[in-house]
Amino acid sequence: MVYVFLAPGFEESEALVPVDCLRRCDQQVQLVGIGDNIIMGSHGITVVTDITDNEVELNDESDMIVLPGGMPGTLNLEKSAVVQSAIDFCVKNDKYVAAICAAPSILGHKGLLKGHKAVCYTGFESQLEGAEVLEVPVVVSGKFVTARGAGVSIQFGLKLVELLTSKEKSDKLRDAILWEK
């Protein structure tokens, strides 16, 4: 199971494009609303989530959490005790934590990126405390997956598919959606 956390002010494409990629490849994904199951994104698009944050049950069947960026979505995610607990669960249980745009700053503030390679939206680099900050679209370092922003949402989604299934399945999806490197 993949849990994608949506807080008010999330960046819509950074959440929905990876969800679309994962579901096209038969991955179980649940959109999780922080505080409600109707969440408005940073550009006024309202999304109805599958569950709310008080319904999340991370366990051995959980594979990954995804933290979309956007403002004030990232700040709202970081304030959530459920999101903080989910990150801690993933770290403790060797599960993937994927964050895009400003959201990698949440991991940086927790000190989780020390010794890892990471990327983020321009201007948030100083918040990736202890990370080796790169200038590439998507980085996998251990169980952390970080991406730069909305413009790399497809690459981010394809990388998540690759990690949870296979490179072959990710390549097939890339070809099916006519995405070129």
Side-chain angles (χ1 to χ4, degrees):
M1 176 66 67
V2 177
Y3 292 100
V4 180
F5 289 92
L6 304 185
F10 73 96
E11 171 58 52
E12 294 91 340
S13 62
E14 294 169 3
L16 300 178
V17 170
V19 169
D20 179 74
C21 290
L22 289 162
R23 286 186 176 170
R24 284 174 187 250
C25 292
D26 303 317
Q27 295 302 292
Q28 291 185 332
V29 179
Q30 289 200 315
L31 293 170
V32 181
I34 302 300
D36 197 354
N37 74 323
I38 299 174
I39 307 293
M40 183 175 290
S42 60
H43 298 98
I45 299 171
T46 301
V47 173
V48 178
T49 64
D50 302 306
I51 60 175
T52 62
D53 50 355
N54 63 4
E55 298 172 279
V56 171
E57 293 183 23
L58 291 163
N59 56 43
D60 288 342
E61 302 298 315
S62 306
D63 299 307
M64 173 185 289
I65 63 168
V66 179
L67 308 174
M71 283 297 174
T74 296
L75 300 175
N76 290 328
L77 285 177
E78 189 162 19
K79 287 189 276 189
S80 166
V82 172
V83 170
Q84 292 291 337
S85 177
I87 293 168
D88 294 343
F89 173 89
C90 289
V91 169
K92 181 180 176 186
N93 292 281
D94 202 32
K95 308 288 185 177
Y96 287 106
V97 177
I100 184 171
C101 192
S105 66
I106 300 169
L107 307 177
H109 296 157
K110 289 177 73 71
L112 297 173
L113 297 177
K114 289 179 180 157
H116 286 278
K117 296 177 180 178
V119 295
C120 62
Y121 188 72
T122 303
F124 284 83
E125 296 87 355
S126 66
Q127 296 182 48
L128 304 184
E129 298 168 20
E132 178 186 343
V133 180
L134 304 178
E135 290 190 27
V136 297
V138 180
V139 171
V140 178
S141 185
K143 291 290 184 167
F144 296 109
V145 185
T146 55
R148 297 210 54 197
V152 301
S153 294
I154 291 176
Q155 288 165 281
F156 183 58
L158 291 171
K159 182 54 73 177
L160 301 183
V161 167
E162 178 183 334
L163 292 170
L164 295 178
T165 64
S166 68
K167 174 96 168 84
E168 179 182 54
K169 208 165 204 181
S170 178
D171 288 346
K172 283 182 182 178
L173 176 59
R174 183 196 68 225
D175 293 344
I177 63 174
L178 304 177
W179 185 79
E180 297 183 20
K181 294 180 182 179

